[in-house]
Amino acid sequence: MYSSIGYSNGHHHHHQPHQQERERMGGGLTSHKDRARRGGRRSRDSLRASEHQQQQQQQQQNDRKPATPCTDFDVAYFHSYAHVGIHEEMIKDRVRTETYRAAIIQNQSFIEGKVVVDVGCGTGILSIFCAQAGAKRVYAVDASDIAVQANEVVKANNLTDKVIVLHGRVEDVEIDEEVDVIISEWMGYMLLYESMLGSVITARDRWLKRGGLILPSYATLYMAPVTHPDRYSESIDFWRNVYGIDMSAMMPLAKQCAFEEPSVETITGENVLTWPHVVKHVDCYTIQIHELESIATTFKFKSMMRAPLHGFAFWFDVEFSTPAISPANNHIPPVVVGSSNSHPMDGCQKKKRANPNEALVLSTAPEDPPTHWQQTMIYFYDPIEVEQDQLIEGSVVLSQSKENARFMNIHLEYASGGRSFVKESVMR
């Protein structure tokens, strides 16, 4: 379930003090099973679901901008989600699946007798949870061929009167009524990898009623500097003595292969040198698609200990909040209960939640129980020795690749102890 570390090719530069150095990374994401992960599960099919409010829906369709074209990358992406292994891994992630079920139960009063859309339904498990919670109707939307199996699962559980499986992109399928609830497990590695949040936004703008509920309601991406001597020793120092043979000539290549790409792996709180920095806070009620094209932040950390700095870790959490008062329109978030009312601001450092019991949170932080998302690591080719209280500062830009919006370009600049660096990579 939790992968072992993967490697790729790259190019190594020896670092010199007091100069700008560039470490370019060209490959893609590495993970334990080289698996595909999250995104807008879409296809080119266009299906009609209900005849209710047809005239109103037709007017909305006339006013709506044309759907984003489905690219060859999208088709390949959707095809990857037809494989049962991906869905098995996600469902077996008990932290993920049980948190979603708890959120549905917690919000049962907002689901019972209401209309729900499940964006990227996969096998249909969340749709069925919603039906079991008393939803009047659930539209389970998925562009992957897994929708065929989802429909069979719905039939096997005698829920065809409640759950309607739509095989198609959210941008293309037709639902001729407004919905009360949107539920989606859209998060990718590093939160935004594979760009499925855009499909949730599209569903929100097309169908969500004023004051409707979105689950999860908020998401936050974090980063922090980390030390990981064991990982470095395992991948690099191994070559110093191999069965009594000096293979240190292999070390430059080993660094390229081990650290060129972002790596999805599990670390612990002991690896983290500082409180995390908030890269991006996402309000699912107000976020717009264009905001996902590029996300930038500057950071300044102060190391809590003396240790070698090996890179930066990224992780996220999502919050499931309960609406209390309906807003005037879909793009104003409802007043919520069970929310901390102190959502982290972009660019700030975050310690602990003021009261972790106030909201239901799914966390992928190093100190919390592991999930299939693990953490995403950006490693340096060579560690930087830092002293306690030494500053580590810089900036990071996460942008959608022009080649394929589901890929993520990462531009990282960092400096400490009089040395500055630039590292660029692509998660593909």
Side-chain angles (χ1 to χ4, degrees):
M1 179 174 173
Y2 303 107
S3 34
S4 57
I5 299 161
Y7 308 107
S8 68
N9 294 325
H11 183 66
H12 171 249
H13 296 263
H14 294 283
H15 303 312
Q16 300 297 327
H18 307 289
Q19 73 179 49
Q20 186 79 10
E21 302 177 6
R22 182 166 298 271
E23 303 171 340
R24 288 199 177 271
M25 298 168 57
L29 174 71
T30 64
S31 72
H32 294 334
K33 295 179 182 176
D34 193 27
R35 58 185 179 262
R37 262 295 298 159
R38 318 302 299 141
R41 309 156 174 114
R42 308 169 182 178
S43 80
R44 285 172 278 199
D45 295 332
S46 180
L47 301 175
R48 184 164 296 278
S50 167
E51 296 304 320
H52 183 61
Q53 297 179 337
Q54 184 171 5
Q55 184 175 359
Q56 178 183 0
Q57 182 67 21
Q58 186 61 50
Q59 182 61 45
Q60 291 174 349
Q61 289 303 311
N62 292 340
D63 295 340
R64 189 163 62 91
K65 295 179 180 179
T68 303
C70 187
T71 68
D72 290 342
F73 288 112
D74 289 329
V75 172
Y77 172 73
F78 302 141
H79 181 71
S80 73
Y81 272 85
H83 193 284
V84 70
I86 292 174
H87 300 280
E88 179 182 349
E89 180 185 37
M90 291 188 290
I91 291 172
K92 284 182 175 178
D93 181 344
R94 298 184 69 88
V95 174
R96 164 201 181 268
T97 306
E98 292 182 357
T99 302
Y100 268 84
R101 183 166 61 177
I104 291 166
I105 293 170
Q106 177 178 286
N107 288 280
Q108 184 169 2
S109 61
F110 298 94
I111 294 172
E112 190 171 9
K114 301 298 179 62
V115 179
V116 179
V117 63
D118 179 1
V119 178
C121 68
T123 59
I125 187 169
L126 300 185
S127 297
I128 291 173
F129 285 164
C130 288
Q132 291 172 339
K136 178 174 69 175
R137 191 158 37 256
V138 183
Y139 295 103
V141 184
D142 205 305
S144 165
D145 286 347
I146 198 67
V148 176
Q149 279 71 40
N151 197 48
E152 295 303 312
V153 171
V154 169
K155 290 179 182 178
N157 287 273
N158 300 314
L159 289 170
T160 53
D161 59 329
K162 285 192 171 186
V163 180
I164 302 168
V165 178
L166 301 179
H167 186 184
R169 299 195 309 162
V170 163
E171 291 82 354
D172 298 331
V173 300
E174 299 297 343
I175 298 176
D176 291 337
E177 61 180 323
E178 291 185 318
V179 305
D180 303 281
V181 180
I182 292 175
I183 190 166
S184 181
E185 197 275 78
W186 54 265
M187 301 83 70
Y189 296 130
M190 215 165 164
L191 185 63
L192 299 174
Y193 174 58
E194 290 187 343
S195 193
M196 186 177 167
L197 179 55
S199 295
V200 176
I201 295 169
T202 297
R204 178 199 71 194
D205 293 348
R206 292 189 67 188
W207 302 311
L208 188 64
K209 285 182 179 178
R210 295 178 181 178
L213 175 64
I214 303 177
L215 296 174
S217 313
Y218 307 99
T220 307
L221 175 63
Y222 302 91
M223 68 178 293
V226 296
T227 184
H228 205 339
D230 291 345
R231 172 75 157 88
Y232 197 87
S233 176
E234 169 191 299
S235 302
I236 308 305
D237 291 339
F238 159 79
W239 295 102
R240 295 185 186 277
N241 186 329
V242 181
Y243 293 96
I245 300 170
D246 179 2
M247 287 197 174
S248 55
M250 293 291 297
M251 290 174 65
L253 179 61
K255 291 177 182 179
Q256 296 166 24
C257 295
F259 303 140
E260 179 197 22
E261 300 176 350
S263 179
V264 175
E265 57 189 74
T266 298
I267 61 172
T268 70
E270 295 179 353
N271 297 113
V272 182
L273 292 175
T274 71
W275 294 112
H277 172 89
V278 175
V279 177
K280 180 66 176 177
H281 176 70
V282 173
D283 183 334
C284 294
Y285 293 98
T286 61
I287 187 77
Q288 299 298 313
I289 289 179
H290 68 84
E291 296 178 54
L292 306 177
E293 294 174 0
S294 182
I295 293 167
T297 187
T298 58
F299 55 81
K300 181 179 288 187
F301 298 104
K302 183 182 289 187
S303 180
M304 294 180 177
M305 66 188 79
R306 180 181 183 182
L309 169 61
H310 289 100
F312 291 94
F314 293 80
W315 65 88
F316 65 87
D317 60 35
V318 296
E319 179 179 316
F320 300 83
S321 299
T322 301
I325 302 173
S326 296
N329 61 65
N330 290 352
H331 305 303
I332 299 176
V335 177
V336 294
V337 296
S339 176
S340 64
N341 293 322
S342 58
H343 292 126
M345 300 293 292
D346 294 354
C348 73
Q349 277 192 273
K350 182 73 172 174
K351 296 187 178 181
K352 295 291 184 181
R353 290 181 176 271
N355 182 355
N357 296 322
E358 287 183 344
L360 183 60
V361 174
L362 169 56
S363 172
T364 67
E367 67 270 18
D368 289 320
T371 71
H372 75 282
W373 286 285
Q374 304 175 275
Q375 291 82 40
T376 300
M377 294 291 306
I378 305 292
Y379 282 109
F380 308 154
Y381 290 119
D382 292 296
I384 302 171
E385 295 294 332
V386 297
E387 302 293 330
Q388 183 173 346
D389 296 329
Q390 183 171 321
L391 290 180
I392 305 162
E393 52 191 328
S395 64
V396 63
V397 178
L398 310 177
S399 58
Q400 293 179 351
S401 170
K402 289 182 171 55
E403 174 190 4
N404 177 5
R406 298 191 185 280
F407 296 167
M408 181 188 294
N409 295 327
I410 304 168
H411 180 87
L412 176 65
E413 299 184 13
Y414 55 99
S416 189
R419 304 173 67 189
S420 60
F421 310 85
V422 175
K423 190 160 194 176
E424 295 181 329
S425 60
V426 181
M427 292 179 70
R428 27 172 123 246

